[in-house]
Amino acid sequence: MCLVCKRGWMSAIERLWMWPRPDSLENLIKLSATISHRPLFKIREHSRYGGLVKTLDFGVIFSQWEEIESTDIFQPIISSCTNIRTLDLNMCKIANNPSFVKLFADNSQLCNSLTNLEITYVEASDMEIEALVRLFPRLKRLLIA
């Protein structure tokens, strides 16, 4: 591969992975399966696709939350995404699940990078939301409705 083509691909791949939007349960499963893979060539300092992700928007699958029975589908996504700045859990039915909160508690790198959190229309008590928010020390913007 020539140097010019490689730089073009690196830029395109970086942009594609910056904000993945799984708009269905099927696409969420595909994202979960591929996010921890290594790119064919190193893109900056990132050795896995998850390192390129800046925004995770789980709110776009709001109509299919009932079909998600386990937090296992999120484990590879949360553990691979170490540079997330924005996390959207809009209408997330499992945001108050202790095992879902534990996914974040076990990944301090993600928690330290997150600055924006949206947890609108989440069925959770104030104490559950507070427990989730306390995990993110650099949080600057919190949207709750």
Side-chain angles (χ1 to χ4, degrees):
M1 178 182 288
C2 74
L3 187 58
V4 173
C5 291
K6 183 178 177 182
R7 285 188 183 154
W9 274 108
M10 285 175 24
S11 177
I13 289 172
E14 190 172 2
R15 292 282 181 202
L16 286 172
W17 280 95
M18 192 176 287
W19 186 8
R21 291 181 54 118
D23 58 356
S24 68
L25 183 56
E26 179 184 348
N27 288 339
L28 181 65
I29 293 168
K30 288 177 184 177
L31 177 65
S32 181
T34 59
I35 201 159
S36 61
H37 291 182
R38 294 182 184 276
L40 294 175
F41 39 85
K42 191 172 181 181
I43 302 172
R44 299 189 190 202
E45 70 277 358
H46 309 294
S47 60
R48 302 202 184 275
Y49 289 121
L52 299 171
V53 177
K54 302 288 186 234
T55 299
L56 268 177
D57 186 355
F58 293 130
V60 295
I61 58 169
F62 68 89
S63 64
Q64 295 181 318
W65 280 115
E66 289 81 19
E67 298 176 37
I68 300 173
E69 298 171 359
S70 171
T71 59
D72 294 342
I73 193 170
F74 295 100
Q75 202 284 325
I77 298 171
I78 301 302
S79 64
S80 297
C81 298
T82 56
N83 295 312
I84 294 179
R85 303 290 181 260
T86 303
L87 178 63
D88 183 350
L89 298 174
N90 185 25
M91 297 182 152
C92 179
K93 301 273 188 215
I94 59 173
N96 62 348
N97 185 325
S99 60
F100 188 70
V101 175
K102 187 175 180 335
L103 285 175
F104 294 102
D106 292 345
N107 190 341
S108 62
Q109 223 175 354
L110 175 136
C111 292
N112 288 330
S113 68
L114 193 76
T115 57
N116 300 307
L117 178 62
E118 183 173 334
I119 48 177
T120 55
Y121 307 107
V122 171
E123 296 174 10
S125 69
D126 290 345
M127 290 174 46
E128 291 167 331
I129 291 173
E130 184 179 345
L132 184 63
V133 169
R134 286 183 186 261
L135 295 173
F136 309 112
R138 294 190 179 166
L139 196 63
K140 293 179 182 173
R141 183 175 162 260
L142 174 65
L143 185 57
I144 301 175

